[in-house]
Amino acid sequence: MSDDPIILSFKDASLYKSDLSILKNRYQWLNDAIISFYFEYLSDTLLKDYLEKITLMSASTVFMLNYVNGDDVAELNSMIGALDLPSKEIIFIPINNNEDPDQIAGGSHWSLLVYEKVNQSFYYYDSISGDSNYAYGCVIARKLYKLLTGQQYTSSKISKRNTPQQRNGFDCGMYLLSITENLSQQLIENYKQNNQQPLKITSDIESSMYKTITPDYISIKRNQIYEIVEKLINK
Amino acid sequence: MSAKEEPGVPKQEGEKKEGGVADEQINLRVQASDQTEVFFKIKKVTALKKLMDAYCQRQSINPNSIRFLYDGQRLQQERTPKDYNMENNDIIDVVIEQVGGC
């Protein structure tokens, strides 16, 4: 226990020494602790003045939703009511394909679900095309829909979106983080420049994601996140 | 009236009150995914690390592989039930580590 201490507590995220070594090793799969850390970091920097509009859910909170019976709003509210999700314009939701809540470090793939309030719709972004995680995204969309809209979910409320693709077997967590950062950045830009309200993920936003998110960008980003953690530790 | 103004009297009352808060205990239920619950009684001003360590030890889990959630947010081990405004019989959810790469 003591040889793996917590090396950084940042807002609601905690990183153990072992989490940092995952980040350092280019080929290791990211875990939910790193995803949650970077989400907290973005919420504290890029999104700081926009948290009433945009929210990033922690991966373990999303996983916990699997325990809820169906889409019972009262039960959901008792678990995540404090997050005040129905008031948000955009919600970023990390999706993992782990099915067994008792298997430690279960799962093999991360992808991203985004809720857009103005259209009452979910968009699904996956750095590996194919159906690997889509069903898991649909499960979470189905669970949250009534809480968010007061209406019954139908499968037309979620759509798969074109997404920059990973070219290896280890970077999906980095794509999840980079897509989240890139979409948020563009949403904020649109809001600032054109006073675009409410926030909306336009096709322009989606297509310019491809200009930024390349395999090279992803490896640089991974180093940058590692450096951010180191800097915060030494603060 | 004059007794109230005596410096010693209010001080004594203050001490009593402080003692009351520090000693106040709370029952918390730590719930796993299979709905099994483990009950803990801790002081409202005790760091939650105590509860987390106790749970991990009892369930033989390494602390770095589970996350404790309250109101949809991860609990910080140095904070206390009082910091989170927890109430008696509140539930803390336990979620295990997830990974993904391909």
Side-chain angles (χ1 to χ4, degrees), chain A residues 4 6 11-12 16 29-32 61 63 67 79 96 101 103 105-110 166 169-172, chain B residues 32-33 35 61-65 67 69 71-74 76-77 84 93-102:
Chain A
D4 191 12
I6 290 184
K11 307 286 163 182
D12 285 337
Y16 285 87
W29 291 2
L30 298 194
N31 65 4
D32 61 292
T61 303
F63 189 51
Y67 308 167
M79 266 186 176
N96 187 278
Q103 194 200 333
S108 64
H109 187 47
W110 291 107
Q166 66 186 92
F170 49 83
D171 264 342
C172 66
Chain B
S33 53
Q35 306 292 313
I61 312 173
N62 197 323
N64 63 12
S65 59
R67 294 80 174 90
L69 304 175
D71 274 353
Q73 277 171 319
R74 187 168 176 184
Q76 289 293 307
Q77 58 174 8
Y84 288 106
D93 293 285
V94 179
V95 185
I96 47 108
E97 179 186 18
Q98 305 166 77
V99 300
C102 67

Side-chain angles (χ1 to χ4, degrees), chain B residues 15-100:
Chain B
E15 275 171 1
K16 262 185 200 165
K17 268 181 196 163
E18 263 174 35
V21 172
D23 285 339
E24 203 181 327
Q25 291 203 325
I26 185 169
N27 288 304
L28 292 170
R29 298 145 64 190
V30 179
Q31 193 176 65
S33 53
D34 58 4
Q35 306 292 313
T36 55
E37 286 185 358
V38 181
F39 290 78
F40 290 95
K41 185 174 241 177
I42 69 168
K43 285 183 188 168
K44 274 192 159 178
V45 293
T46 301
L48 286 158
K49 184 176 195 305
K50 278 229 158 134
L51 176 149
M52 297 178 181
D53 286 347
Y55 183 83
C56 290
Q57 208 157 32
R58 197 194 139 115
Q59 309 292 99
S60 312
I61 312 173
N62 197 323
N64 63 12
S65 59
I66 65 172
R67 294 80 174 90
F68 293 87
L69 304 175
Y70 178 73
D71 274 353
Q73 277 171 319
R74 187 168 176 184
L75 290 176
Q76 289 293 307
Q77 58 174 8
E78 302 309 333
R79 301 187 71 187
T80 68
K82 195 165 168 265
D83 293 335
Y84 288 106
N85 290 319
M86 287 178 175
E87 286 168 17
N88 208 24
N89 288 323
D90 271 357
I91 294 177
I92 294 173
D93 293 285
V94 179
V95 185
I96 47 108
E97 179 186 18
Q98 305 166 77
V99 300

Side-chain angles (χ1 to χ4, degrees), chain A residues 79-97:
Chain A
M79 266 186 176
I80 55 167
L83 302 180
D84 196 18
L85 295 180
S87 75
K88 312 293 179 189
E89 292 178 24
I90 301 280
I91 306 171
F92 287 90
I93 307 164
I95 299 294
N96 187 278
N97 62 346

Side-chain angles (χ1 to χ4, degrees), chain A residues 2-224:
Chain A
S2 56
D3 54 357
D4 191 12
I6 290 184
I7 48 158
L8 177 65
S9 287
F10 182 80
K11 307 286 163 182
D12 285 337
S14 298
L15 290 178
Y16 285 87
K17 200 176 166 193
S18 54
D19 297 324
L20 189 61
S21 69
I22 291 178
L23 203 49
K24 196 173 186 177
N25 180 344
R26 165 107 187 74
Y27 306 104
Q28 276 214 10
W29 291 2
L30 298 194
N31 65 4
D32 61 292
I34 294 165
I35 310 266
S36 296
F37 161 74
Y38 198 59
F39 272 21
E40 286 287 339
Y41 179 77
L42 289 176
S43 300
D44 194 57
T45 51
L46 173 69
L47 294 169
K48 198 174 174 122
D49 298 326
Y50 303 92
L51 294 176
E52 279 176 17
K53 296 177 184 300
I54 303 177
T55 206
L56 314 181
M57 285 183 79
S58 97
S60 33
T61 303
V62 176
F63 189 51
M64 194 176 68
L65 297 178
N66 290 313
Y67 308 167
V68 176
N69 281 322
D71 57 1
D72 188 306
V73 171
E75 201 180 336
L76 282 169
N77 267 326
S78 75
M79 266 186 176
I80 55 167
L83 302 180
D84 196 18
L85 295 180
S87 75
K88 312 293 179 189
E89 292 178 24
I90 301 280
I91 306 171
F92 287 90
I93 307 164
I95 299 294
N96 187 278
N97 62 346
N98 181 17
E99 276 185 329
D100 181 358
D102 295 322
Q103 194 200 333
I104 288 166
S108 64
H109 187 47
W110 291 107
S111 54
L112 175 67
L113 185 68
V114 181
Y115 176 74
E116 186 186 79
K117 190 181 184 186
V118 63
N119 282 316
Q120 299 197 327
S121 292
F122 285 98
Y123 305 127
Y124 177 75
Y125 301 91
D126 197 327
S127 59
I128 295 184
S129 62
D131 286 338
S132 57
N133 258 23
Y134 184 58
Y136 300 92
C138 293
V139 167
I140 296 299
R142 178 180 291 275
K143 275 198 194 294
L144 289 176
Y145 199 74
K146 202 190 276 176
L147 173 80
L148 294 172
T149 67
Q151 291 167 28
Q152 209 62 43
Y153 174 82
T154 63
S155 55
S156 65
K157 304 299 182 190
I158 182 170
S159 59
K160 281 187 214 170
R161 317 301 294 178
N162 287 331
T163 311
Q165 297 292 293
Q166 66 186 92
R167 294 182 196 156
N168 54 44
F170 49 83
D171 264 342
C172 66
M174 283 306 308
Y175 275 82
L176 159 65
L177 295 178
S178 301
I179 294 166
T180 301
E181 182 170 9
N182 186 268
L183 291 177
S184 309
Q185 223 157 20
Q186 294 195 67
L187 284 164
I188 290 171
E189 284 301 307
N190 270 6
Y191 176 73
K192 280 203 253 181
Q193 283 175 10
N194 317 318
N195 198 23
Q196 168 135 27
Q197 248 178 324
L199 301 181
K200 194 173 168 347
I201 298 175
T202 60
S203 50
D204 281 354
I205 286 184
E206 285 185 335
S207 56
S208 62
M209 200 165 48
Y210 282 84
K211 283 181 222 153
T212 310
I213 302 175
T214 61
D216 284 346
Y217 173 87
I218 290 288
S219 22
I220 292 166
K221 192 82 203 165
R222 188 167 185 138
N223 288 333
Q224 281 175 349

